[in-house]
């Protein structure tokens, strides 16, 4: 049986585990079925989180350098208090008048360029992208979706079929067209121009098949494509290229949004592009499932006239209270600024380490979203990357790997990460890589 793998997934039967964990894993398989995966050769049994720390059942602390959902810190007391208070008062949906959703919408939209002046609420990033795809089709009359060749955009039928990182088991949708991700390796003549030309070329291929473009959709940090933030501005010509064919620009901010990239609240702002729609998720509720789609009014005019939208839990009163608390914490604790300064120091530290270790290649970063390539004789080495990820886990530090070849360390801690946390990370990584 072939099982679609993700980098450093636990593979049953390969690592001797304590009997209680073997039993737990069997129970999971019995109850949850075969599609779920666990992180790490030796899976973790986490029972508590606090700030940048996760604790296992024995109370051992792990430095969380991976979770961008608990972006303002695990179990942040202000977020938990807002959630509990609203849940104890009222938990209804968007078909009643309620000020919470309006107060939150106002605060959220104030963080966007004025052209993006509507927000619709969902529960997950997948739903936000799915909604964006539906609206793009209605607004343009087209169906063609352009994605990068190792993209991930979600679990619904349409978004999974636009997520080539899921591997060959999930066939791309009939109107999904992939282009090479915007890396220097894919576009040696220049990322900005090359990526825009790829958009134009693929639109011509669509036209030859009688398909009209609906949208170009990209994660603005290209996380599953290996973390590709630079050079800032490279998305601008691609946005112009899709618009020249009548298609829209959808920025997926599910990973980089809410201040993680440091200089800006949203990844698209690094590129000087104003998308037509922006999907939000993961960090939006710091663990409470809330997500959304911010959009230009003109793109929803057609869809909104002919279709109605109701999402039972999207934008519920608790979600709005939580979302507002997350924005308060980001502002009051200066977390975006922290992502900028600590992220710069982190990238520098990784690059310094690479001068002493041949196994460490390029580091690409924006704020607290970092990717470091692991190589062997200069060639991508996913096995080494997985070794490092697992050894870090054994040494109390959590990260993962990403990219089309699985050789990029994906480093993405909660935003209150400190210089002291970086020291611990780099000292441990130094030791782990030296032992390869
Ligand atoms: C870039 C991107 N878009 C969309 C999604 C889907 O979000 P969710 O898992 O909340 O449905 C993810 C999730 O990993 C993601 O990384």
């Amino acid at each position: 049986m072939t099982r679609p793998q993700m980098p450093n997934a636990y593979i049953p039967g390969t690592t001797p585990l304590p009997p209680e964990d073997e039993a737990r894993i069997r129970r999971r398989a019995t109850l949850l079925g075969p599609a779920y995966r666990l992180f790490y050769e030796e899976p973790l049994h986490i029972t508590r989180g606090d700030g940048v720390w996760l604790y296992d059942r024995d109370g051992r602390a792990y430095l969380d350098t991976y979770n961008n959902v608990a972006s303002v810190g695990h179990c942040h007391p202000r977020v938990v208090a807002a959630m509990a208070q609203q849940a104890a008062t009222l938990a209804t949906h968007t078909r009643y008048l309620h000020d919470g959703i309006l107060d939150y919408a106002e605060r959220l939209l104030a963080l966007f360029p004025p052209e993006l002046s509507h927000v619709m609420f969902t529960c997950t990033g997948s739903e936000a992208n799915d909604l964006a795809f539906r609206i793009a089709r209605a607004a343009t009359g087209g169906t063609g979706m352009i994605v990068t060749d190792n993209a991930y955009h979600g679990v619904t039928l349409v978004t999974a079929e636009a997520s080539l990182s899921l591997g060959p088991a999930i066939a791309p949708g009939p109107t999904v067209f992939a282009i090479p991700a915007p890396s220097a390796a894919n576009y040696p003549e220049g990322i900005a121009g090359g990526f825009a030309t790829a958009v134009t070329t693929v639109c011509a291929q669509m036209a030859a098949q009688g398909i009209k473009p609906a949208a170009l959709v990209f994660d603005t940090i290209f996380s599953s494509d290996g973390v590709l933030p630079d050079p800032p501005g490279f998305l601008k010509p691609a946005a112009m290229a899709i618009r020249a064919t009548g298609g829209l620009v959808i920025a997926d901010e599910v990973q980089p949004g809410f201040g993680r990239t440091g200089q800006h609240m949203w990844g698209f702002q690094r590129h000087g592009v104003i998308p037509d729609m922006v999907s939000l998720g993961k960090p939006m509720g710091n663990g409470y499932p809330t997500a959304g789609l911010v959009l230009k009014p003109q793109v929803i005019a057609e869809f909104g006239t002919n279709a109605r939208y109701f999402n039972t839990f999207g934008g519920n009163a608790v979600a709005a209270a939580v979302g507002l608390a997350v924005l308060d914490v980001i502002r009051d604790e200066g977390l975006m600024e922290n992502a900028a300064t600590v992220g710069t120091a982190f990238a520098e530290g990784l690059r310094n380490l690479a001068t002493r270790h041949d196994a460490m290649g390029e580091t690409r970063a924006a704020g607290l979203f970092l990717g470091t390539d692991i190589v062997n004789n200069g060639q991508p080495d996913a096995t080494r990357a997985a070794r490092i990820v697992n050894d870090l886990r054994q040494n109390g530090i959590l990260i993962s790997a990403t990219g089309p070849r699985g050789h990029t360390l994906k480093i993405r801690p909660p935003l209150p990460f400190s210089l002291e946390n970086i020291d611990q990370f780099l000292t441990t990584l130094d030791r782990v890589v030296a032992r390869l």
Side-chain angles (χ1 to χ4, degrees):
M1 183 177 66
T2 59
R3 291 162 63 86
Q5 274 317 329
M6 62 176 194
N8 58 272
Y10 165 71
I11 301 170
T14 52
T15 312
L17 300 177
E20 68 210 82
D21 281 341
E22 294 284 8
R24 223 172 247 116
I25 287 166
R26 275 196 304 276
R27 192 168 162 225
R28 271 173 62 99
T30 306
L31 294 168
L32 310 183
Y36 283 86
R37 301 290 180 273
L38 284 161
F39 277 151
Y40 306 119
E41 277 170 4
E42 185 183 351
L44 265 174
H45 184 190
I46 296 290
T47 55
R48 192 166 70 81
D50 180 11
V52 298
W53 298 98
L54 287 171
Y55 297 88
D56 72 10
R57 60 172 175 250
D58 302 319
R60 182 178 178 198
Y62 292 83
L63 181 63
D64 184 358
T65 320
Y66 186 62
N67 277 291
N68 68 341
V69 172
S71 193
V72 302
H74 289 279
C75 308
H76 193 291
R78 278 180 78 179
V79 178
V80 173
M83 188 188 311
Q85 195 185 358
Q86 186 58 51
T89 309
L90 178 74
T92 50
H93 52 69
T94 51
R95 279 187 168 156
Y96 298 103
L97 288 172
H98 192 262
D99 285 340
I101 190 171
L102 303 179
D103 294 343
Y104 178 48
E106 249 163 32
R107 279 282 300 282
L108 186 62
L109 289 171
L111 300 171
F112 284 85
E115 291 87 338
L116 290 155
S117 57
H118 283 334
V119 56
M120 299 171 77
F121 291 102
T122 64
C123 305
T124 67
S126 303
E127 282 182 333
N129 281 328
D130 195 275
L131 181 62
F133 288 15
R134 289 171 65 201
I135 292 172
R137 287 181 183 191
T140 62
T143 54
M145 301 299 306
I146 306 172
V147 296
T148 51
D149 55 7
N150 205 52
Y152 182 74
H153 294 296
V155 294
T156 65
L157 180 62
V158 172
T159 57
E161 287 183 347
S163 296
L164 278 75
S165 64
L166 289 172
I170 312 289
T175 58
V176 171
F177 288 74
I179 57 175
S183 67
N186 285 335
Y187 301 104
E189 308 296 321
I191 295 173
F195 195 55
T197 303
V199 170
T200 306
T201 307
V202 90
C203 286
Q205 286 165 11
M206 280 186 204
Q209 296 175 36
I211 295 169
K212 189 169 181 280
L216 166 66
V217 52
F218 43 74
D219 162 1
T220 58
I221 195 88
F222 297 89
S223 168
S224 56
D225 285 298
V227 185
L228 308 172
D230 290 320
F234 75 70
L235 283 174
K236 217 170 176 171
M240 285 166 66
I242 185 70
R243 283 177 172 147
T245 70
L248 302 180
V249 175
I250 301 173
D252 182 333
E253 292 284 346
V254 169
Q255 294 252 4
F258 292 92
R260 173 162 296 279
T261 58
Q263 304 293 339
H264 302 280
M265 191 56 79
W266 314 112
F268 68 79
Q269 291 170 304
R270 300 183 71 249
H271 291 282
V273 168
I274 299 180
D276 298 292
M277 291 185 263
V278 182
S279 53
L280 310 175
K282 293 183 189 282
M284 189 166 172
N286 208 53
Y288 184 92
T290 182
L293 185 68
V294 173
L295 62 174
K296 292 181 177 170
Q298 57 271 35
V299 300
I300 182 117
E302 177 73 22
F303 182 90
T305 310
N306 300 318
R308 65 167 191 268
Y309 177 72
F310 175 61
N311 185 317
T312 303
F313 301 114
N316 76 75
V318 181
V322 167
L324 201 55
V326 168
L327 294 185
D328 286 345
V329 173
I330 293 173
R331 179 195 59 202
D332 296 349
E333 297 185 9
L335 292 183
M336 190 170 99
E337 296 74 12
N338 192 63
T341 50
V342 174
T344 302
F346 207 164
E348 247 174 58
L350 288 162
R351 288 180 186 126
N352 281 341
L353 217 52
T355 62
R356 291 196 285 105
H357 294 291
D358 288 346
M360 291 179 65
E362 184 178 70
T363 288
R364 297 172 295 279
L368 278 171
F369 212 128
L370 305 102
T372 295
D373 291 341
I374 298 302
V375 294
N376 197 347
N377 289 322
Q379 294 307 306
D381 192 332
T383 308
R384 271 187 160 180
R387 185 72 272 125
I388 292 170
V389 169
N390 280 296
D391 288 353
L392 285 175
R393 172 254 179 268
Q394 293 300 345
N395 285 278
I397 291 184
L398 306 182
I399 61 163
S400 187
T402 188
R405 299 183 180 184
H407 77 297
T408 303
L409 303 183
K410 180 153 101 177
I411 304 168
R412 209 184 40 178
L415 301 187
F417 214 67
S418 67
L419 295 174
E420 198 187 339
N421 298 145
I422 295 179
D423 275 349
Q424 181 185 343
F425 184 98
L426 293 175
T427 310
T428 313
L429 182 63
D430 192 13
R431 233 178 29 235
V432 160
V433 178
R435 280 202 306 255
L436 279 178

